[in-house]
Amino acid sequence: MIDFGKRLKALRVQAGFTQEQLAERTGVSKSIISCYERYQCYPSLEHLVKLSEMFHVSTDYLLGLEHNAIDVSGLDEADIELVSQVVDYFRKKNQK
């Protein structure tokens, strides 16, 4: 769970949510979201699942156990390779 706070904040910012907006959407207080992002506390299993569903990532990703934030389940190898190439293209483009 080392990366949980950092990953949650990155997903929240990417989605354009303030801490208060995320709190409202998930049914907790803004101070709880702040605690999560500052590694002062961790969510319950129920809240962890709610966050993963909201951001369309796995719970493993939120917990830092998986480094791939894109859910490729249900895709065949060719589709996964294509998604990987698109991600690489945009990563290189944004490094310029």
Side-chain angles (χ1 to χ4, degrees):
M1 298 207 346
I2 294 170
D3 293 333
F4 177 75
K6 181 172 87 175
R7 289 180 182 211
L8 178 62
K9 183 175 182 177
L11 290 167
R12 176 181 63 76
V13 169
Q14 182 180 14
F17 296 147
T18 63
Q19 287 182 342
E20 187 172 342
Q21 289 169 326
L22 180 58
E24 289 173 7
R25 290 175 183 259
T26 57
V28 297
S29 68
K30 176 188 175 286
S31 63
I32 292 293
I33 299 298
S34 178
C35 286
Y36 292 164
E37 291 182 2
R38 290 182 289 140
Y39 302 93
Q40 293 180 330
C41 63
Y42 295 98
S44 67
L45 181 58
E46 179 182 343
H47 196 231
L48 179 67
V49 170
K50 187 181 281 190
L51 289 166
S52 73
E53 289 172 347
M54 174 179 288
F55 291 117
H56 306 287
V57 297
S58 69
T59 55
D60 281 355
Y61 175 77
L62 280 173
L63 297 173
L65 302 173
E66 175 186 301
H67 300 289
N68 183 0
I70 300 172
D71 181 6
V72 295
S73 59
L75 300 180
D76 63 26
E77 289 299 317
D79 292 340
I80 293 170
E81 178 59 29
L82 184 59
V83 169
S84 180
Q85 289 173 3
V86 169
V87 169
D88 287 342
Y89 167 80
F90 284 110
R91 187 175 290 125
K92 289 174 185 172
K93 177 182 171 227
N94 290 326
Q95 287 178 350
K96 294 178 180 178

